[in-house]
Structures are given as structure tokens and as C-alpha cells.
């Protein structure tokens, strides 16, 4: 907790929310790809969410559920 002492609580809240959103978005895209639905998440939207602060948990989620791990664009982009 001492490590987070200097971080503004709003910044911390933002990072928590964006990372939860990144996890949900990644899991949804994996579900949509498995079920072959047309309602997939665009690649640029996944990269945008990672750019906005969700990269860490999006990467962990992608590795855990094995989603887009063979796409170098995502591994480099995230």
C-alpha cells in the first residue's frame, strides 16, 4: 500500500476501471471468435483500450485464454 501512497486516487480508480474493461473486452472477443459471431471487437479498439491504460491486464488475459497471441501486431502493440 505504501507504493500507492503517492498516486492520486482518481488515477488509480481510472486504471482499475480501464483494466477491468480491457479484460471484459478481450474475453468477449475470444467468445465471439469461438462462436463465430459477426459482433467481434475491432482490432483498433482493442489496441486503443490497451493504449489508454489497459495493456497490462489485456496482455495477461490474452495469454491466459490464448487469444491473439500468435498475432505479432498485438504482442508488439500491447
Amino acid at each position: 500500500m505504501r507504493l500507492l501512497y503517492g498516486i492520486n486516487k482518481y488515477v488509480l480508480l481510472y486504471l482499475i476501471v480501464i483494466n477491468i474493461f480491457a479484460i471484459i473486452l478481450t474475453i468477449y472477443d475470444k467468445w465471439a471468435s469461438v462462436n463465430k459471431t459477426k459482433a467481434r471487437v475491432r482490432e483498433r479498439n482493442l489496441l486503443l483500450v490497451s493504449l489508454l491504460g489497459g495493456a497490462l491486464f489485456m496482455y495477461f488475459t490474452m495469454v491466459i485464454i490464448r487469444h491473439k497471441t500468435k498475432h505479432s501486431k498485438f504482442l508488439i502493440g500491447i
Side-chain angles (χ1 to χ4, degrees):
M1 191 65 164
R2 196 163 182 79
L3 177 68
L4 301 175
Y5 181 73
I7 296 178
N8 186 334
K9 64 181 176 181
Y10 297 110
V11 173
L12 186 60
L13 179 64
Y14 170 77
L15 288 174
I16 290 169
V17 169
I18 196 73
N19 278 288
I20 290 172
F21 182 66
I23 291 169
I24 292 169
L25 204 62
T26 306
I27 291 172
Y28 172 77
D29 192 47
K30 173 67 175 190
W31 175 84
S33 70
V34 168
N35 292 314
K36 304 207 182 331
T37 64
K38 291 187 179 183
R40 297 279 310 270
V41 179
R42 292 183 179 199
E43 293 178 353
R44 68 178 180 195
N45 292 341
L46 289 170
L47 290 172
L48 178 64
V49 170
S50 71
L51 179 69
L52 293 174
L56 184 63
F57 281 86
M58 183 180 282
Y59 175 76
F60 288 142
T61 305
M62 286 171 55
V63 170
I64 290 169
I65 65 174
R66 294 182 180 176
H67 185 57
K68 295 191 181 283
T69 54
K70 293 184 180 180
H71 298 269
S72 60
K73 176 181 182 177
F74 285 101
L75 295 179
I76 293 169
I78 293 176

